[in-house]
Amino acid sequence: SVLADQIAAGEVVERPASVVKELVENAVDAHSTQIDITVEEAGLQRISVVDDGDGIADEDAEMAFKRHATSKITNRRDLFRIKSLGFRGEALPSIASVADVTLTTSTGSVGTLIHNVGGIIKEHTAAEARKGTTVTVKDLFGNVPARLKYLKSPATELARITDIVNRLALSYPNIAFSLVHNGRELTRTAGRGDLQQVIAGIYGVQNARKMVAINGQNQDFQVKGYVSLPELTRASRQYISLLLNGRYIHNFQLSKALVAGYGSKLMVGRYPVAVLDITMDPLLVDVNVHPTKQEVRISQEPELTKLIQETV
Ligand code: ADP
Ligand code: MG
């Protein structure tokens, strides 16, 4: 029901950045090589994600708006083994229940357009047949004004969008990403698999030159990535990105280890720009139940923090 979708939306769609995250993750799951994100007024007016992925067959397109209809996972441990990011089958229905959503999609032959307003399908027609999917979300939270009150300033909401796009771009260097806000390009990556180019596309070419490659391993873990030279530090930790088996994660102990290894104690309040990709046996990862599934626990964490600190 629409009400159940709206309740689920409370968990999945907190703010414009969550919409961007879910739509881009779907595009990644669909094997896209290019993902273009356009945002107006920090996402409250419009969010549009265009991909060149697999598309959805016309007969499956309405199902995509049904909650749990697409759930693919039974075991939490599967999370880090499966390739796809989606597993709950509730992002699209949740978003549609609190917005005006137009989905245009094609697997390459015929194309489909579905217009869903507040969780109800208003239109299902033929559309252009370019392979891929475009999802446009307008008037987010227009029908649940209470949610709008929880949002921060447009600048803060936009920063969250930028943050999530940049993290996804870092996680998928083989996919070309672009992010445009109110006509201004904020991020553009080439999708050629070169992490240093991705860093340049996000933090600028000058900054990318100040990044040093690091690499370390022990029996259970490999850590590799880039850490900025001391001349490129920032006033917050938010420029530290951790990837675990190629996926973006949050883990305070691990970023603390990176900062400790960097010697930030000597530079009070300064933190490096860093991208660290950790490779490990998926069985050693304990994925937290939080629906955004970015908060992870790792057995042998002390061993890993030691490796990170020493490598940096
Ligand atoms: P989940 O990603 O958890 O499966 P979603 O609600 O995010 O659930 O998406 C529902 C379904 O719609 C997906 O499983 C997928 O089959 C389809 N879908 C959504 N977005 C896209 C896209 N950009 N390209 C291809 N298929 C998509
Ligand atoms: Mg999804």
Side-chain angles (χ1 to χ4, degrees):
S1 70
V2 170
L3 183 59
D5 289 340
Q6 283 181 344
I7 291 167
E11 251 182 73
V12 183
V13 206
E14 279 188 314
R15 50 185 7 108
S18 1
V19 173
V20 171
K21 173 176 180 289
E22 295 294 338
L23 297 182
V24 173
E25 287 187 348
N26 284 345
V28 170
D29 279 348
H31 312 102
S32 303
T33 65
Q34 184 169 349
I35 302 175
D36 296 308
I37 304 128
T38 317
V39 174
E40 305 292 341
E41 306 307 328
L44 289 174
Q45 198 174 91
R46 193 170 71 98
I47 295 168
S48 191
V49 176
V50 181
D51 73 49
D52 64 348
D54 300 335
I56 309 172
D58 184 71
E59 62 270 26
D60 299 330
E62 290 199 19
M63 279 296 275
F65 286 99
K66 291 215 168 72
R67 202 152 58 93
H68 291 305
T70 62
S71 195
K72 300 166 199 133
I73 191 163
T74 50
N75 181 336
R76 283 209 287 139
R77 285 212 175 269
D78 287 350
L79 265 179
F80 270 76
R81 263 178 300 202
I82 57 166
K83 283 261 164 51
S84 87
L85 298 172
F87 71 107
R88 292 158 291 133
E90 58 187 29
L92 269 185
S94 296
I95 294 165
S97 74
V98 294
D100 174 322
V101 176
T102 304
L103 169 87
T104 315
T105 188
S106 171
T107 56
S109 47
V110 297
T112 298
L113 181 150
I114 291 183
H115 185 197
N116 187 320
V117 182
I120 294 161
I121 293 174
K122 302 282 185 190
E123 195 184 350
H124 179 165
T125 54
E128 70 163 314
R130 181 194 62 85
K131 183 168 169 281
T133 300
T134 298
V135 180
T136 299
V137 176
K138 286 194 232 167
D139 200 17
L140 181 63
F141 303 133
N143 61 347
V144 277
R147 287 215 73 84
L148 290 171
K149 284 201 221 120
Y150 289 97
L151 300 182
K152 301 278 196 290
S153 70
T156 302
E157 295 302 332
L158 176 62
R160 290 187 162 150
I161 291 172
T162 309
D163 185 54
I164 198 73
V165 171
N166 289 348
R167 290 179 190 292
L168 284 158
L170 286 166
S171 308
Y172 299 96
N174 287 308
I175 301 175
F177 285 88
S178 72
L179 171 64
V180 173
H181 178 251
N182 290 351
R184 197 163 78 90
E185 185 173 283
L186 301 179
T187 292
R188 176 170 297 276
T189 67
R192 287 193 222 97
D194 174 357
L195 193 54
Q196 193 138 31
Q197 191 285 323
V198 178
I199 291 168
I202 292 171
Y203 299 118
V205 178
Q206 294 299 327
N207 288 335
R209 291 208 188 99
K210 297 174 188 150
M211 305 288 287
V212 175
I214 59 164
N215 197 339
Q217 62 186 68
N218 64 20
Q219 212 169 335
D220 293 314
F221 303 100
Q222 187 192 26
V223 297
K224 59 174 189 175
Y226 292 88
V227 177
S228 64
L229 293 169
E231 61 194 277
L232 176 62
T233 57
R234 305 267 169 138
S236 97
R237 281 170 206 266
Q238 78 184 78
Y239 298 91
I240 298 173
S241 300
L242 299 177
L243 309 177
L244 180 57
N245 292 347
R247 280 169 59 169
Y248 170 68
I249 60 159
H250 284 295
N251 182 305
F252 183 72
Q253 292 307 326
L254 300 185
S255 37
K256 208 172 125 191
L258 190 152
V259 171
Y262 195 71
S264 288
K265 274 202 193 109
L266 305 174
M267 306 180 266
V268 177
R270 303 299 297 176
Y271 301 92
V273 177
V275 181
L276 208 59
D277 195 357
I278 303 158
T279 311
M280 67 188 293
D281 182 343
L283 289 174
L284 297 176
V285 186
D286 184 10
V287 179
N288 194 289
V289 287
H290 191 275
T292 61
K293 65 196 187 293
Q294 290 174 344
E295 202 70 55
V296 302
R297 283 231 204 82
I298 296 159
S299 24
Q300 305 179 40
E301 196 173 90
E303 195 198 324
L304 177 57
T305 52
K306 187 163 170 279
L307 175 67
I308 290 175
Q309 188 164 344
E310 284 171 4
T311 305
V312 172

